[in-house]
Amino acid sequence: MADIELRNVSKRYTNRVAAVEDVNLHIRDGEFMIFLGPSGCGKSTTLRMIAGLENISGGELFIGGKRMNDVAPRDRNIAVVFQSYALYPHMTVAENLAFGLKMHKRPQNEIEERVKRVSAMLGIGQFLERKPAALSGGQRQRVALGRALVRDPAAFLLDEPLSNLDAQLRADMRLELVKLHRQLGSTIIHVTHDQVEAMTMGERICIMKDGRVVQVGAPLDVYRNPANTFVAGFLASPPMNLIEARLVGEGDTLWVEAGALRLRVPAAYREAYRVYVDKPVIFGIRAEDIHAHQAQPDWQVLDANVVALETLGAEVVLVMGISGIARADIAARLGRDYRAQIGSRQQLYVDLAEMQLFDPQTTNAVPRPQA
């Protein structure tokens, strides 16, 4: 069993600055968990506390039901893969893979069998006699993963292992890691600041900010129901459009108003949002919920001025402004054939079934029923 539980775990340094504050998280046995957040949010520090590379200032850590606060890193049966690969440059690939097993005084025949099996699994068998300097970045990363795999640990902790790779290699390694997890069934914690990695790899995402856990959930649940404006603006590229607005009531109908923007709130959300009538709100809508054509009769018209057009091959991201809204450019993710002149006025259509409202004081999402 390699379920990992953090109970009120904190990390404070000598200057009393809290790098991690009061983290409560249960990572299930065999789960692929992503720690996601901007630089300095505490995700790597949390990972290092689980590994035993940082002391825990407060709270308790359990691995497989056993309290681990005072257990040495080598006795936790956990493997760590670092961003820098951390390979021994004077050793061959085979020697790097075997090093940990030799330190644990495993029999030579067992070491050779494990190195052969893991190198075949990762496709690095032909590099066993090379040294790290003779390998590409992707090959070095595979060796770093292999050195962790060969120990057959209870859990793998990956600290931004793909960040040094180019875009194509990152995509390839994402797929390899997912396949590896399915094959091994081991617990994996993967630290990243890359939203694509988080959405495509993890079974659950733990989003952190300023040393605290902000939201934990399945990738699509977090994406569609962000807990606050930070999650809404951080998870996805382009991020959710967030517009300072006001909620206006006219009889049974509610409207979101901001400058020239005036959109009718779906009937399903009226009761949930009615408490904010005549109050400021933050209106949120994803870029993919703004469309070039009205495919559904309840999609509402949005008139906007074209600010920029980002042609990405598979899609076009339209950046636009709305009269009377000075501090927000709005992004729409449109089909690859969409074209418009910069500065022109365009009519688009918004699917308000996917709208979000946030409280401007707390920045928390206003709970809503499913449409």
Side-chain angles (χ1 to χ4, degrees):
M1 289 289 289
D3 63 309
I4 299 170
E5 187 175 2
L6 295 87
R7 299 180 186 172
N8 305 109
V9 168
S10 299
K11 176 63 182 181
R12 291 182 177 273
Y13 294 102
T14 52
N15 60 3
R16 308 302 297 168
V17 171
V20 175
E21 189 73 26
D22 201 29
V23 169
N24 288 281
L25 183 64
H26 183 207
I27 301 161
R28 297 184 289 265
D29 181 37
E31 184 173 24
F32 200 134
M33 171 67 78
I34 300 288
F35 285 0
L36 177 68
S39 298
C41 72
K43 56 189 185 296
S44 289
T45 302
T46 303
L47 188 88
R48 292 174 64 84
M49 285 192 287
I50 295 171
L53 304 177
E54 293 275 3
N55 293 325
I56 295 174
S57 304
E60 295 180 298
L61 169 69
F62 294 85
I63 299 177
K66 181 181 178 182
R67 189 177 186 274
M68 289 287 174
N69 289 49
D70 303 314
V71 176
R74 64 174 293 161
D75 298 324
R76 298 189 183 197
N77 193 24
I78 281 178
V80 184
V81 178
F82 297 101
Q83 176 182 352
S84 61
Y85 314 137
L87 301 175
Y88 296 108
H90 63 286
M91 294 183 182
T92 65
V93 168
E95 290 168 339
N96 267 283
L97 293 175
F99 183 77
L101 297 175
K102 289 181 178 178
M103 290 297 98
H104 284 83
K105 303 188 185 305
R106 307 305 301 173
Q108 184 60 32
N109 62 336
E110 179 185 338
I111 292 174
E112 292 175 358
E113 189 278 328
R114 287 195 186 189
V115 168
K116 181 179 179 181
R117 173 170 54 86
V118 168
S119 60
M121 183 187 304
L122 293 174
I124 54 175
Q126 67 270 39
F127 308 130
L128 290 178
E129 299 308 314
R130 295 189 190 179
K131 292 184 178 179
L135 303 177
S136 68
Q139 291 162 351
R140 291 180 196 178
Q141 191 55 268
R142 288 173 185 268
V143 176
L145 286 169
R147 193 171 58 181
L149 281 170
V150 78
R151 290 174 45 202
D152 195 22
F156 296 89
L157 309 183
L158 313 180
D159 192 2
E160 303 203 43
L162 310 184
S163 60
N164 288 337
L165 305 180
D166 62 42
Q168 184 58 54
L169 270 177
R170 280 203 306 273
D172 293 342
M173 287 302 298
R174 284 200 305 265
L175 179 59
E176 290 301 318
L177 282 172
V178 171
K179 288 163 61 177
L180 195 61
H181 175 251
R182 290 175 181 166
Q183 183 176 348
L184 299 173
S186 301
T187 304
I188 296 179
I189 303 175
H190 180 107
V191 166
T192 184
H193 59 265
D194 188 308
Q195 300 94 328
V196 175
E197 287 181 26
M199 290 296 295
T200 58
M201 296 173 66
E203 294 173 330
R204 283 196 300 161
I205 303 174
C206 172
I207 298 182
M208 299 185 69
K209 179 189 179 188
D210 298 333
R212 294 182 178 272
V213 172
V214 179
Q215 187 173 1
V216 180
L220 285 178
D221 289 341
V222 175
Y223 183 82
R224 296 196 66 182
N225 299 288
N228 56 26
T229 55
F230 170 76
V231 177
F234 186 79
L235 189 63
S237 180
M240 177 179 280
N241 298 299
L242 298 172
I243 302 166
E244 294 181 0
R246 192 170 187 84
L247 198 64
V248 176
E250 294 180 359
D252 289 336
T253 305
L254 302 183
W255 299 86
V256 173
E257 294 187 352
L261 181 74
R262 193 169 193 261
L263 299 170
R264 186 177 61 257
V265 175
Y269 300 159
R270 287 176 192 164
E271 289 307 312
Y273 291 160
R274 192 171 295 280
V275 68
Y276 283 87
V277 168
D278 295 328
K279 295 180 181 179
V281 293
I282 298 175
F283 168 68
I285 193 75
R286 293 274 183 203
E288 61 268 27
D289 297 317
I290 303 175
H291 305 272
H293 306 286
Q294 191 175 23
Q296 300 294 330
D298 56 347
W299 290 359
Q300 298 179 46
V301 174
L302 172 68
D303 288 315
N305 300 311
V306 177
V307 175
L309 208 63
E310 300 176 359
T311 304
L312 303 178
E315 64 183 11
V316 170
V317 174
L318 173 67
V319 181
M320 52 196 166
I322 294 178
S323 300
I325 303 178
R327 293 189 294 168
D329 285 333
I330 298 174
R333 181 177 280 128
L334 305 174
R336 62 186 179 184
D337 296 325
Y338 184 86
R339 296 291 182 271
Q341 292 293 321
I342 305 301
S344 66
R345 191 168 182 81
Q346 298 292 315
Q347 190 173 83
L348 301 170
Y349 301 90
V350 187
D351 180 6
L352 268 292
E354 300 298 335
M355 70 172 287
Q356 301 274 353
L357 282 191
F358 301 89
D359 187 307
Q361 299 299 318
T362 65
T363 74
N364 292 334
V366 180
R368 60 166 198 183
Q370 295 298 313

